[in-house]
Amino acid sequence: MTGRAWHASAVTVLALMTSAACRSGPRPQPGDPMLDAIRAEEREGKLTYVESQGRRLFVHYCATCHGDDARGDGQNASNLNPPPPDMTVSRMSQDPALTRRVIAEGSAAVGRSPLSPPWGRSLSQQQIDYLVAYCQSLGRETP
Ligand code: HEC
């Protein structure tokens, strides 16, 4: 094989490997120690990498109602009835399936007011995974 042909096929193999990894690679799980070590500089405080990603999304999309720290004190909270709960004490964040449903389908989907909007069509599954992980971290006791 000539040098050039070898190079071309090596590039093809690499490209195939990379695209396969993107399609079928496992999603990062909350608290994956390897991921946390590699992306250490992207973590905030005691949060894992995945929870930190969720926090960033939360501050961007949700904080206007929920507040930056999810305490129910966002700029728009006083206009809402019922107001957003303090998610650091609410028991709901302990139930990831229910939390995911509220985020993806809106609070009305679990028999509550329609005030928390559905995000299932505007955020990706991965973004919703991150948000669920962040919501769950809120109820965690930090020493
Ligand atoms: C327009 C204001 C508003 C926005 C934006 C909003 N929410 Fe809400 N959210 C609420 C309100 C109000 C409630 C309480 C609804 C009720 O009890 O009927 C709520 C409830 C929730 C709950 C249930 C919490 C609990 O402990 O009971 C979750 C989870 C939640 N929202 C997640 C989110 C996430 C994640 C986002 C951003 C992607 C978001 N919300 C954006 C207003 C909002």
Side-chain angles (χ1 to χ4, degrees), residues 67-89:
D68 279 352
D69 297 312
R71 292 189 180 271
D73 57 358
Q75 187 184 24
N76 194 31
S78 58
N79 297 313
L80 301 171
N81 183 17
D86 180 346
M87 287 164 70
T88 64
V89 295

Side-chain angles (χ1 to χ4, degrees), residues 61-62 65-66 80 82-85 87 90 92 99 102-103 112-113 115-117 119 131:
Y61 293 105
C62 324
C65 297
H66 284 275
L80 301 171
M87 287 164 70
S90 160
M92 181 174 179
T99 303
V102 171
I103 299 172
R112 292 167 62 170
S113 77
L115 291 176
S116 200
W119 298 91
L131 283 164

Side-chain angles (χ1 to χ4, degrees), residues 39-103:
R39 311 297 280 271
E41 75 286 359
E42 292 174 52
R43 291 168 55 196
E44 298 188 27
K46 294 194 162 93
L47 300 182
T48 65
Y49 169 74
V50 166
E51 291 161 357
S52 301
Q53 294 295 103
R55 178 171 162 78
R56 268 181 218 124
L57 292 164
F58 194 90
V59 168
H60 187 76
Y61 293 105
C62 324
T64 182
C65 297
H66 284 275
D68 279 352
D69 297 312
R71 292 189 180 271
D73 57 358
Q75 187 184 24
N76 194 31
S78 58
N79 297 313
L80 301 171
N81 183 17
D86 180 346
M87 287 164 70
T88 64
V89 295
S90 160
R91 307 241 323 269
M92 181 174 179
S93 55
Q94 291 166 14
D95 184 335
L98 203 58
T99 303
R100 169 179 302 277
R101 187 132 194 241
V102 171
I103 299 172

